[in-house]
Amino acid sequence: MSTVHLISRRDFLRATGLSGSALVLGVNTSWGHSLVHGLAGATEFQPNVFVSIDETGVRFVVARMELGQGGRTACLMMLAEELEVNIEDVEFVQGVADPKYGNQHTAGSTTVRTQWLPLRTAGAAAREMLVTAAADTWGVPETECHCEGGFVIHRSSDRSLAYGELATKASTLPVPGSPNLKSRDEFDIIGKPRRMVDVPDITTGKAVFGYDVDVPGMLYASLERSPRVRGSIKSYDADAARAVAGVVDVVELEPNATGLTNNSIAVVAENSWAAMQGRRALNAEWDPGPLASENSDEYASRLEEIASQEGRVIRQEGDFDAALAAADRVIESTYTGPYIVHAPMEPPCATVHVEGDRCQVWTSVQAPQWARREVAGVLGIPAANVTVNPTLVGGAFGRKSKPDYCVEAAALSKKLGRPVKVAFTREDDIRHGFYRAQNCQKLTGTIDADGQVSGWRGRTVFPTIGWDFNPNRLGPTPNETGQGFTNLPYRIPNLRLEAGSIASSVRVGWLRSVCNTYHSFASNCFMDELAHATGRDPVEFHLEMLGDPRILEFSDED
């Protein structure tokens, strides 16, 4: 009789000798409720949603996700700079999904730029209130006090009070609306090299990623999903799957209302191995549905055909047709790109526990508030009843903005009445992603009798990301064409940029830098072709065509 032993992935690595000794220290196999809950106390000073101070120290709620690029560290640096506290003395906790933190969607390299003022302002406001509390305690002017290293110091008497000692009094003061922010030359933390605050836990095995979550009573689900969008189930062998030791149930799932998920068959078991073996025993057959005809080669031909026709004009300067008619030479090139999968180190994973009209979610996700809304939708409960606890994200690149795996886990937990973990295998990740769009660009350049570039026509065709949510919208959005296409920076007297429309039976989504990956690639390669055609050094040619710094002013008619 075979026996299944439940061990964590890190325990497996340790047992098989696949990891160094430093990685097995302090293994953490559980993930409790977010530390954000329960911070409030009678003596706590919490001037805003990001920072709280009591006699035990300073706590900082990080609202953005950590994707491995140091975003949490950067946020902590911005707050600590204005609060005048040592980073090592700040306890930071990951914020749950909540609109009170503003936009939590961690994508597009926006963390520092969007948190720059909010976090600095939060730190500065707390600092000013602490100074006011200290000055009142001593009966001295506020101008004679300053903050340093978690203390308010009175310069002339050299007296000092720790922030924790001032928390109660500071909590009674009004929050300043426009606190004074430090100037750049006053920065002590921002701009200085610093090790990521997550590195110690990551290297000692204490860090919790989505795959590490372990909730008491948890079941594991492995899903056989429709290989085609809108495909449907023809047949499967549920009895064979249930015959696998450890399998608890076989459950059919329908697509959710917003189209994030497809038809699928979930094999739910007491351990991940049984779930995967049960899934293999299903022998599922699928009806491909109405979107079964697309293949990459035919789709590439359709893209090129559309790119050869006139499209919707989205930027125009001068008269390209006149430049084309008068051209001494015409250079034309077509650039194509395939669908690309994200393949992050950690495939998508979510653990969900539904209890009545309440729900807890533990997941590695980029857009926790989006996950919250989608989970609430599939459960039919208010979003306020869903708590999304983000873990560290083991790679994302845009894939984990789409919370389909959270929705699947929620639907299963509701049906089974127990916590359920849905973890994609690498094969699942490749087959059921939201891919960077297959694309085509046709670029035409005109060269006049003097060997100068006189005109440029660009045509871009690709399925818009928005098609996933609105099949009636086929054309690229201004945001998408604004990524390396309509914001073409080169000085060309006669310019026309056009966009073509095409649908897709493959789900598309954001991949790191999104449309820039194909727009900027094509435009800069084509500039090299024009440089070659005019006998110019490519670097000198690019610089000349860029010209002096300027602001591009144009409007997309959409």
Side-chain angles (χ1 to χ4, degrees):
M1 179 178 178
S2 61
T3 302
V4 176
H5 296 282
L6 299 179
I7 62 174
S8 72
R9 64 189 179 94
R10 291 193 179 94
D11 283 339
F12 172 78
L13 293 175
R14 177 176 61 182
T16 54
L18 297 178
S19 70
S21 60
L23 292 179
V24 301
L25 299 177
V27 175
N28 185 356
T29 58
S30 66
W31 182 261
H33 296 330
S34 170
L35 291 176
V36 174
H37 300 296
L39 286 182
T43 61
E44 184 187 51
F45 167 46
Q46 190 170 8
N48 50 65
V49 297
F50 298 110
V51 61
S52 62
I53 303 170
D54 62 17
E55 65 279 359
T56 65
V58 178
R59 297 178 185 86
F60 170 46
V61 178
V62 186
R64 287 300 181 102
M65 309 307 105
E66 179 54 70
L67 310 183
Q69 299 157 295
R72 293 210 297 197
T73 304
C75 288
L76 183 54
M77 291 171 69
M78 290 185 282
L79 180 100
E81 180 70 74
E82 296 291 350
L83 187 53
E84 292 286 6
V85 65
N86 298 320
I87 285 183
E88 294 75 16
D89 297 332
V90 178
E91 175 189 357
F92 68 94
V93 295
Q94 180 65 58
V96 299
D98 198 315
K100 70 183 181 182
Y101 297 122
N103 183 2
Q104 292 178 271
H105 191 181
T106 308
S109 300
T110 59
T111 291
V112 171
R113 73 177 96 156
T114 59
Q115 302 300 293
W116 176 252
L117 284 178
L119 291 183
R120 290 180 60 208
T121 301
R127 183 192 70 226
E128 290 190 0
M129 295 170 74
L130 290 163
V131 166
T132 300
D136 182 70
T137 299
W138 292 322
V140 300
E142 293 180 23
T143 54
E144 295 181 4
C145 303
H146 72 283
C147 293
E148 182 179 334
F151 290 84
V152 180
I153 300 170
H154 183 229
R155 293 186 183 88
S156 59
S157 67
D158 204 28
R159 286 177 291 179
S160 65
L161 286 170
Y163 287 176
E165 298 177 89
L166 296 165
T168 300
K169 178 171 286 191
S171 66
T172 66
L173 300 173
V175 179
S178 301
N180 292 317
L181 301 178
K182 296 169 70 172
S183 61
R184 185 180 295 271
D185 58 5
E186 294 176 303
F187 289 164
D188 296 312
I189 297 175
I190 294 174
K192 305 297 190 300
R194 178 165 296 275
R195 185 179 67 176
M196 284 175 55
V197 296
D198 298 288
V199 165
D201 281 354
I202 291 173
T203 55
T204 58
K206 295 178 183 178
V208 176
F209 294 84
Y211 265 72
D212 297 321
V213 173
D214 185 7
V215 176
M218 181 177 72
L219 295 172
Y220 299 78
S222 185
L223 276 68
E224 186 72 13
R225 300 170 179 86
S226 169
R228 295 277 187 172
V229 175
R230 301 180 193 171
S232 59
I233 301 168
K234 289 178 65 176
S235 66
Y236 63 94
D237 192 342
D239 291 337
R242 289 191 177 98
V244 174
V247 170
V248 173
D249 205 351
V250 177
V251 179
E252 291 186 23
L253 292 181
E254 297 180 349
N256 75 317
T258 58
L260 273 176
T261 61
N262 285 320
N263 280 304
S264 62
I265 310 158
V267 177
V268 187
E270 296 288 352
N271 59 77
S272 58
W273 177 253
M276 289 187 287
Q277 294 305 304
R279 174 182 169 188
R280 290 177 182 175
L282 285 172
N283 291 319
E285 293 187 15
W286 297 89
D287 183 328
L291 302 177
S293 61
E294 183 175 324
N295 67 66
S296 295
D297 291 339
E298 292 181 3
Y299 196 72
S301 297
R302 287 165 54 203
L303 285 167
E304 290 193 37
E305 180 182 354
I306 295 172
S308 298
Q309 305 167 2
E310 289 187 9
R312 176 173 55 91
V313 177
I314 53 179
R315 181 181 171 190
Q316 186 162 235
E317 297 170 10
D319 189 338
F320 174 79
D321 289 335
L324 182 64
D328 184 65
R329 282 180 291 168
V330 177
I331 310 297
E332 193 165 70
S333 289
T334 300
Y335 299 86
T336 60
Y339 290 111
I340 295 180
V341 70
H342 305 77
M345 183 70 74
E346 177 195 36
C349 180
T351 302
V352 178
H353 190 190
V354 179
E355 297 180 280
D357 65 348
R358 298 282 171 174
C359 175
Q360 286 276 345
V361 181
W362 299 266
T363 183
S364 54
V365 69
Q366 290 178 254
Q369 291 182 38
W370 187 0
R372 188 190 196 202
R373 291 192 299 270
E374 293 290 341
V375 167
V378 76
L379 297 178
I381 62 176
N385 290 11
V386 178
T387 301
V388 175
N389 304 283
T391 67
L392 286 177
V393 181
F397 320 122
R399 170 59 180 98
K400 293 176 184 175
S401 289
K402 302 292 184 75
D404 51 314
Y405 45 103
C406 302
V407 170
E408 292 171 338
L412 288 170
S413 180
K414 180 180 180 180
K415 285 178 178 289
L416 297 167
R418 290 175 61 180
V420 176
K421 173 183 281 188
V422 168
F424 278 47
T425 64
R426 179 59 69 198
E427 293 86 351
D428 293 333
D429 179 36
I430 301 299
R431 292 172 181 160
H432 302 286
F434 292 79
Y435 310 91
R436 191 205 71 170
Q438 191 170 354
N439 57 85
C440 178
Q441 291 167 85
K442 189 165 188 177
L443 304 180
T444 303
T446 61
I447 300 174
D448 63 21
D450 296 326
Q452 301 298 312
V453 176
S454 58
W456 175 299
R457 181 181 63 201
R459 289 174 175 161
T460 183
V461 185
F462 57 92
T464 175
I465 293 174
W467 181 85
D468 288 335
F469 312 102
N470 181 5
N472 296 319
R473 169 144 199 180
L474 302 181
T477 66
N479 177 269
E480 290 170 315
T481 55
Q483 297 173 16
F485 190 69
T486 52
N487 57 349
L488 185 77
Y490 298 108
R491 293 188 305 171
I492 300 168
N494 301 290
L495 176 73
R496 186 161 75 224
L497 301 179
E498 305 169 9
S501 299
I502 188 171
S504 172
S505 65
V506 176
R507 301 187 302 182
V508 295
W510 301 278
L511 184 141
R512 194 78 177 101
S513 83
V514 202
C515 305
N516 283 296
T517 57
Y518 41 88
H519 286 150
S520 296
F521 166 75
S523 63
N524 284 286
C525 285
F526 192 58
M527 286 299 294
D528 283 348
E529 294 193 49
L530 294 178
H532 178 76
T534 57
R536 300 289 304 280
D537 174 82
V539 174
E540 292 181 357
F541 183 75
H542 276 256
L543 292 173
E544 179 183 323
M545 296 301 293
L546 284 170
D548 296 328
R550 66 200 186 284
I551 296 176
L552 296 176
E553 294 184 0
F554 57 90
S555 62
D556 190 320
E557 66 179 18
D558 190 347

